[in-house]
Amino acid sequence: MDDDQRIEADPHERCRALGAILDRIGDKWTVMAVGALSEGPMRFNALQRLIGAVSHRMLTLTLRGLERDGLVTRTIYPTIPPKVEYALTNLGQRLIPPLKTLSDWAVENQAELEMAQRAYDASAARSAPAS
Amino acid sequence: MDDDQRIEADPHERCRALGAILDRIGDKWTVMAVGALSEGPMRFNALQRLIGAVSHRMLTLTLRGLERDGLVTRTIYPTIPPKVEYALTNLGQRLIPPLKTLSDWAVENQAELEMAQRAYDASAARSAPAS
DNA sequence: CTGGATCCCCACTGATACTG
DNA sequence: CAGTATCAGTGGGGATCCAG
C-alpha cells in the first residue's frame, strides 16, 4: 500500500461510495422498509404487514440498520401496550429521489431485461440441454 | 377511479421492481464492474486489476450475470492466447445515469451517514461496554 | 488468458421462545 | 405490542486446481 500518487478524480472513489451505500440498502428488506416509510411514519406491525413476507427478526434488524445509518428514527411511546413508531429522517427522505430514479429505470427496462435473460437461457440451453 | 396523475397503480409495484433490480446489481461486484466498463470495453484481467479485491471466481460469476441480463456483451477473439473483451450494451449504458444519481447521494451524504453511525455506536456502547 | 468445478467456511436468515 | 437471544440450516463467497 505504498501509493505515492494520490488520484483525486479516481472513478474508484465514486464506485466505492456507491458500493458502500449498496452494501447498506442493497439487501432485500431495506428498500421495502424505506419505501413503506416514505408514505409516512408507521408502527412496527403496520410495517410488517405492509411489507408482507419479512420475518419479525429481519424487520427488526433492518430497522436497526436504518436507525444506525441515521435514515430512520425510532420513537418509543412508553404506554401499555408499547407503541413504537418508525419514521424517515431528513436524510432518509433525501434518499427517496435517487431510489426513485433507479426504480424508474427498473420499470422502464425490466421487459428488456427479462427478454435478454430468456434469450441467454435459451442459448445456454444448447450447451446444457440435459436437466 | 380515473387517476390522471397515477403513474404507478400500486406503490408495491415500484418497490418490487426496485427490489428486483437491486437483487441483480445490489451485490458488491456488479456495480464495480459496470463502473469499470463505463470507461470503455475491457478484458477480463484488466477488469480484475481495475476492480482490485475481486476474486477470479466472483468476477466470472458477476460478468455472467451481467451478460445474462443483457447489460454486458462478451466478445471472444479466438486467438492464442484467448482474448475476451467485455463491453456495456446500450441497456447497460442507460443504467449509468441512475447509478450516478445514487452515487451522488452517497458521496454527498456519506459523512452524515458515518456521523450517525458513530453516534449510534456510541450510545449502543452503554449497553455493551465490553471490548 | 479465460472459464469452470470442487471444497470449505462462516455469515446471514428464519423459527421459536422468553422478557418488558 | 415490541425486542432479544438462541439454535440450526442454507448458501454465498474465497481458494485452489484443471481444462481449453
Side-chain angles (χ1 to χ4, degrees), chain A residues 92-110:
Chain A
Q93 288 179 11
R94 287 202 302 272
L95 180 57
I96 300 290
L99 246 36
K100 186 175 182 308
T101 303
L102 197 60
S103 72
D104 282 342
W105 184 93
V107 169
E108 286 173 22
N109 296 282
Q110 79 179 342

Side-chain angles (χ1 to χ4, degrees), chain B residues 33-55:
Chain B
V34 171
L37 288 174
S38 72
E39 299 175 24
M42 211 169 294
R43 299 182 56 177
F44 186 91
N45 268 359
L47 223 34
Q48 187 169 22
R49 270 194 307 274
L50 190 54
I51 295 177
V54 66
S55 70

Side-chain angles (χ1 to χ4, degrees), chain B residues 28-29 55 57-58 82:
Chain B
K28 197 160 31 183
W29 305 120
S55 70
R57 171 191 161 88
M58 284 323 294

Side-chain angles (χ1 to χ4, degrees), chain A residues 18 20-39 62 66 71-72 88-108, chain B residues 11 13-23 25-26 95 97-106 109 113:
Chain A
L18 183 53
I21 181 64
L22 281 178
D23 264 359
R24 304 209 164 275
I25 69 163
D27 65 285
K28 199 161 29 183
W29 304 120
T30 297
V31 285
M32 303 286 268
V34 171
L37 287 174
S38 72
E39 299 176 22
T62 298
L66 285 170
L71 297 170
V72 158
L88 286 181
T89 63
N90 213 301
L91 183 61
Q93 288 179 11
R94 287 202 302 272
L95 180 57
I96 300 290
L99 246 36
K100 186 175 182 308
T101 303
L102 197 60
S103 72
D104 282 342
W105 184 93
V107 169
E108 286 173 22
Chain B
E13 186 74 23
R14 178 170 292 281
C15 277
R16 264 186 269 115
L18 183 53
I21 182 62
L22 281 178
D23 264 359
I25 69 163
L95 181 57
L99 245 38
K100 188 176 181 309
T101 303
L102 198 60
S103 72
D104 282 342
W105 184 93
N109 296 283
L113 221 87

Side-chain angles (χ1 to χ4, degrees), chain A residues 75-97:
Chain A
T75 309
I76 306 177
Y77 299 94
T79 58
I80 304 288
K83 173 181 171 181
V84 181
E85 203 167 63
Y86 292 89
L88 286 181
T89 63
N90 213 301
L91 183 61
Q93 288 179 11
R94 287 202 302 272
L95 180 57
I96 300 290

Side-chain angles (χ1 to χ4, degrees), chain A residues 8-21:
Chain A
E8 311 96 62
D10 191 358
H12 281 345
E13 187 71 26
R14 178 170 294 280
C15 278
R16 264 187 268 115
L18 183 53
I21 181 64

